[in-house]
Amino acid sequence: MPQVARAQSSEKPADEGIGQIVVTAQRRQQNVQDVPIAITAVSGDQLRESGVRDPRDLTLLVPSLSMQAGTAASTTSLFIRGVGIGDFNSNTTGAVGVYVDDVFLGANAGKLFNVFDSDGIEVLKGPQGTLYGRNTTAGAIRFSSRKPSDTLSGDVSALYGRFDEVRLEGGIGGPIAGDVLKARVSGLYHRNDGTTFNRVTGNRVNNIDLWAARAIVDFTPGPDTLVRLSVHGGRNSGGARQFQHRGQGIDFFGDPAFLPNGTPTDGLGYADTDGDPWAGDYDVEGKERIDVFGASLTGQFTFGGVQLTSITAYEQVNRATLEDTDASPNQVITAYYEDRPRQFSQELRLQSVGENALNWIVGGFYFHDTLKTDSSFDLLRALRDPSAPLGGFDPVNSLGLLRYPYTQKTDSYALFGQADYKLTDELTATLGLRYSHDRIGMKFASLFDALGTVVPRKAYSDVVVPLLDFDRRQSFNDLSWRAALNYKTGDTLLFASFSKGYNSGGFAGGASTDPLQLAPFRSEKLYAWEAGIKTDLLDRHLRFNASAFYYDYRDLQVFIFDLSGPVPVQRKLNAGNARIYGLEAEVTARPVRNLELFTAITVMDSEYKNFAALGGTNYSGNRLVNAPNFAGSAGIRLTVPLANGSEVRANVDGTYTSSIFLFPDNAPSNKVAGYGLLNGRLAWAAPNNRYEIALWGKNLTNKAYVTAIAPVITQDQINYNEPRTYGIQLSAHF
């Protein structure tokens, strides 16, 4: 239940009501009830109790947050309030900014390794252009790691579950040299045998094999100085996504292709007919290897009533994914993705200290990213004649290996400032501005390679048919702002705001064979009006937060597939404009000492107002992608004290999401029906919470729903959620 944040709060005893939640969404510590922004804050303990394993699982706790799966676990697209981009390519940063300890993460693959030894997560809803900048039209997610403590302390947990899932997590920290030097080290190991059965080999696929580690050292030579070094790394060497197959009912010549019972097949006559979303026939069992490393150096220096903060960070990711794109026993398409992003960022902030009539912050930000990729598609190998010259290599008919290596370089600069001024003791005005300049260069090539095998190579073969050589740079500028008023009286905050966020323009990152497919798309802009209330009632035994919002969404970036040729081509373009409006509400109640209830809902309406797609197709009037009309969650937490000081804890929570569309055409074939999920946990905790043993279950009703669809030659690949899982967890705190 998101509003309960032990690790982030200085909360009152349980019988005195709901505790305060401390967040740093505005770059300073504040009670979340005093921040005039729609925020959901989740503690580290709540992440563990709710079974959140990585950023995708946050949808269990935040109804307005949704996800769309990509080609692999590393390429998930996040949406908040229907704002997001379902582009799974390597050069996409999305519309939800992801931050770990105030460091922006640009690479999709690097976002899998953050939910361990966590002090909490904040989900900021709506454009965050002033303090967070580009790529936050939808909002921002801030992960906070547990920091070194003043005394020696540690946490360890071991989880075992269905599919032989094992998750080991631990951290220990404390002083090394009194108050001057403190450190904390933590680690994670997570694996399972796979949630999907391969009928061809008898193996389980969609498996996990991941480890991660982090070390944080704090140096505090005086009360006004903090220097923090954080180093982290990790590796994922599990399986790539194995999809479900759905035939389109046409062959390679465009003629109908169906089984006698009417089931549509692909061009080779194959159809998956068992109806099991977690089983398939795969001739290639996909593998994925992701290595991440990062380090940041943060300095905070307080002097003369102000604080100077410097954050210097470096992140790198090496990813290689082998994928059975056609999700069938035939050799239609096999993909190999390789990308190597390297990013450096520097942020400087100067801000006022304490609570004054005027609280302000000014700063600058620089971000550099170099992304090198070398990916390929082995096309229609089943139709190639191995006895023909070059093994049937025939680029005219799309028979061969299509490769598209490219390098993209990004430089981003920004200056920003925000001030809060108390007009009266109760009324505060906020004004923020941010100027951003982005320069992106794309050097792209595509070619047919006669070698025709999707394995990484250092050089091309002697027989190569060049298709495209593209080299272009483009600059984008933007001025974002935020203006707000908030009125605080007692335990009630009323606020209203008008803000603008933007997502930088750029270049598409999928396989392209025509320069028009690489024409730069424009920056998208989102203008948001929002009004809300945050209040604690009944001596803080009832918390009610609600907000209403209206979005004017212009030049929004849309990811689609161009189906005009024999091979579907991934395209990214700008729709004219759209609008979204809705209402959110969160209610937390503690009617008696040992019982807590929570519910949250999001109701919204979305529409493309002006969207002429490829070929003049008009999508105006359609609903936006991943924008449900209703999403809600609810939960109950019961604690039963025992005579010896121990406790029995029972948690039950559920979510419901109404129907969505996965593409802007709103075709029935890409509509996902509404679905609900149910999770539960039953635990016994020793006195003082020193030990805990818990039984847990996720997706207890074994509900299956589609998380992504992508068209392939004569068929669709379909991604499903995880099936029912359950197990036992042991935890200790010392």
Side-chain angles (χ1 to χ4, degrees):
M1 285 164 268
Q3 288 295 328
V4 183
R6 300 186 197 90
Q8 294 176 295
S9 66
S10 54
E11 61 177 68
K12 303 169 72 173
D15 58 340
E16 293 187 28
I18 302 168
Q20 291 186 355
I21 304 170
V22 178
V23 298
T24 54
Q26 296 194 115
R27 310 299 197 188
R28 55 193 173 97
Q29 290 191 345
Q30 295 174 282
N31 179 359
V32 69
Q33 295 298 98
D34 295 333
V35 181
I37 301 173
I39 304 173
T40 297
V42 187
S43 75
D45 288 343
Q46 185 57 37
L47 294 173
R48 176 176 55 84
E49 293 175 3
S50 300
V52 173
R53 307 279 195 268
D54 61 54
R56 297 166 297 178
D57 289 334
L58 286 176
T59 58
L60 299 172
L61 302 174
V62 187
S64 57
L65 175 67
S66 59
M67 55 81 70
Q68 184 170 323
T71 57
S74 59
T75 55
T76 297
S77 300
L78 297 172
F79 293 70
I80 297 179
R81 295 173 172 175
V83 178
I85 304 169
D87 184 355
F88 50 77
N89 286 295
S90 305
N91 67 335
T92 296
T93 53
V96 180
V98 175
Y99 294 78
V100 178
D101 296 329
D102 279 344
V103 174
F104 171 71
L105 297 184
N108 276 336
K111 299 170 185 176
L112 280 175
F113 298 86
N114 306 313
V115 187
F116 74 98
D117 199 41
S118 176
D119 202 29
I121 296 176
E122 301 165 22
V123 179
L124 286 64
K125 306 166 192 176
Q128 305 296 321
T130 301
L131 295 181
Y132 293 87
R134 66 198 297 264
N135 309 115
T136 56
T137 44
I141 301 177
R142 304 181 71 254
F143 295 86
S144 295
S145 309
R146 284 182 176 162
K147 307 304 187 299
S149 52
D150 295 330
T151 58
L152 180 65
S153 64
D155 308 270
V156 62
S157 71
L159 176 150
Y160 180 78
R162 189 185 181 194
F163 306 114
D164 283 332
E165 180 181 13
V166 175
R167 182 181 173 95
L168 305 175
E169 180 179 348
I172 185 171
I176 298 175
D179 294 333
V180 176
L181 193 64
K182 295 178 288 186
R184 184 174 180 89
V185 294
S186 56
L188 166 70
Y189 174 70
H190 188 198
R191 66 164 302 279
N192 68 25
D193 288 343
T195 58
T196 301
F197 180 70
N198 185 0
R199 292 185 292 261
V200 173
T201 64
N203 298 329
R204 303 208 68 85
V205 292
N206 283 338
N207 59 299
I208 297 172
D209 189 357
L210 179 151
W211 66 264
R214 181 190 300 117
I216 300 177
V217 178
D218 283 357
F219 175 59
T220 53
D224 298 327
T225 301
L226 167 65
V227 178
R228 173 172 291 153
L229 175 65
S230 177
V231 180
H232 68 89
R235 171 176 294 175
N236 174 32
S237 52
R241 293 300 301 172
Q242 301 284 167
F243 310 101
Q244 287 293 295
H245 177 285
R246 182 176 70 187
Q248 294 176 351
I250 57 173
D251 63 17
F252 297 116
F253 303 100
D255 297 323
F258 293 87
L259 296 177
N261 64 2
T263 301
T265 72
D266 64 15
L268 294 176
Y270 171 76
D272 185 345
T273 60
D274 71 347
D276 186 348
W278 299 297
D281 301 304
Y282 310 113
D283 66 310
V284 175
E285 294 185 342
K287 297 296 181 183
E288 185 166 57
R289 170 75 174 265
I290 301 173
D291 292 291
V292 302
F293 171 79
S296 65
L297 182 65
T298 300
Q300 289 185 347
F301 311 95
T302 304
F303 51 89
V306 299
Q307 183 179 83
L308 176 66
T309 301
S310 170
I311 304 174
T312 307
Y314 173 80
E315 298 283 336
Q316 71 173 41
V317 178
N318 296 326
R319 172 202 171 206
T321 302
L322 177 66
E323 173 193 278
D324 186 12
T325 304
D326 55 65
S328 78
N330 302 312
Q331 296 177 329
V332 180
I333 298 184
T334 303
Y336 175 76
Y337 303 101
E338 179 180 301
D339 50 85
R340 303 167 65 86
R342 304 287 187 267
Q343 74 168 63
F344 170 82
S345 61
Q346 174 65 56
E347 183 166 2
L348 286 173
R349 303 196 300 259
L350 187 68
Q351 63 191 89
S352 60
V353 176
E355 290 296 327
N356 311 297
L358 176 65
N359 295 296
W360 54 268
I361 179 173
V362 295
F365 179 75
Y366 171 70
F367 175 83
H368 173 79
D369 176 73
T370 298
L371 169 65
K372 294 184 178 181
T373 79
D374 190 356
S375 301
S376 57
F377 292 111
D378 190 353
L379 301 172
L380 299 173
R381 177 175 286 272
L383 301 184
R384 294 161 64 180
D385 181 1
S387 64
L390 298 176
F393 175 64
D394 184 3
V396 174
N397 293 302
S398 298
L399 305 180
L401 186 76
L402 174 65
R403 304 182 69 193
Y404 56 104
Y406 67 83
T407 298
Q408 178 177 285
K409 293 185 178 181
T410 302
D411 285 286
S412 180
Y413 307 83
L415 294 173
F416 60 89
Q418 182 167 300
D420 298 334
Y421 182 71
K422 288 184 175 295
L423 301 174
T424 69
D425 289 341
E426 295 83 18
L427 185 64
T428 301
T430 300
L431 179 63
L433 292 171
R434 186 183 189 109
Y435 174 77
S436 302
H437 172 79
D438 299 293
R439 183 171 176 81
I440 301 176
M442 169 68 84
K443 188 173 183 180
F444 187 103
S446 62
L447 51 96
F448 264 100
D449 188 339
L451 283 181
T453 176
V454 287
V455 295
R457 297 182 303 281
K458 300 299 182 182
Y460 301 139
S461 65
D462 292 334
V463 181
V464 169
V465 178
L467 302 175
L468 178 63
D469 188 4
F470 181 91
D471 189 355
R472 183 169 174 181
R473 279 158 291 281
Q474 191 78 23
S475 294
F476 307 91
N477 302 295
D478 182 79
L479 181 66
S480 301
W481 65 75
R482 173 178 173 79
L485 286 173
N486 68 84
Y487 182 82
K488 176 75 173 180
T489 176
D491 288 331
T492 299
L493 174 73
L494 301 172
F495 66 91
S497 66
F498 174 48
S499 58
K500 177 198 172 190
Y502 96 107
N503 198 342
S504 171
F507 300 89
S512 300
T513 57
D514 186 328
L516 292 178
Q517 297 165 352
L518 288 170
F521 50 85
R522 301 183 299 278
S523 299
E524 67 176 16
K525 302 173 180 64
L526 192 148
Y527 300 86
W529 289 262
E530 185 156 359
I533 181 174
K534 298 183 178 184
T535 185
D536 288 332
L537 305 169
L538 304 178
D539 194 24
R540 287 176 55 182
H541 284 78
L542 177 65
R543 175 166 293 165
F544 174 74
N545 294 344
S547 61
F549 58 91
Y550 181 89
Y551 290 170
D552 180 4
Y553 202 0
R554 302 180 187 178
D555 282 335
L556 63 157
Q557 297 164 8
V558 180
F559 179 72
I560 64 174
F561 284 87
D562 183 354
L563 304 179
S564 60
V567 179
V569 176
Q570 303 159 19
R571 299 286 299 273
K572 196 168 180 180
L573 46 85
N574 295 95
N577 59 75
R579 63 107 180 102
I580 307 172
Y581 61 85
L583 176 69
E584 287 188 336
E586 293 184 354
V587 180
T588 303
R590 185 172 284 165
V592 295
R593 177 176 182 175
N594 299 313
L595 177 65
E596 186 165 283
L597 309 171
F598 169 80
T599 186
I601 64 168
T602 299
V603 180
M604 64 182 180
D605 185 89
S606 66
E607 181 182 3
Y608 294 108
K609 299 296 291 182
N610 179 18
F611 186 4
L614 298 175
T617 304
N618 190 354
Y619 293 152
S620 301
N622 288 358
R623 281 167 53 190
L624 270 66
V625 171
N626 255 59
N629 288 331
F630 175 84
S633 64
I636 181 172
R637 182 175 188 266
L638 176 65
T639 302
V640 180
L642 302 179
N644 62 354
S646 62
E647 294 179 341
V648 174
R649 302 167 178 169
N651 290 32
V652 178
D653 62 79
T655 62
Y656 178 78
T657 303
S658 66
S659 64
I660 61 170
F661 291 99
L662 296 176
F663 291 101
D665 61 4
N666 286 191
S669 59
N670 69 64
K671 182 179 182 179
V672 179
Y675 60 89
L677 301 175
L678 181 66
N679 312 295
R681 190 173 189 268
L682 179 64
W684 173 84
N688 300 317
N689 202 35
R690 191 169 182 85
Y691 307 102
E692 184 187 70
I693 181 170
L695 301 175
W696 59 270
K698 295 175 64 176
N699 190 11
L700 291 173
T701 61
N702 208 36
K703 177 64 178 178
Y705 62 92
V706 175
T707 61
I709 298 174
V712 187
I713 301 174
T714 72
Q715 56 126 123
D716 298 322
Q717 60 171 219
I718 302 179
N719 212 334
Y720 277 88
N721 64 306
E722 300 298 310
R724 175 171 49 227
T725 54
Y726 44 81
I728 188 170
Q729 184 175 19
L730 304 175
S731 304
H733 311 276
F734 58 89

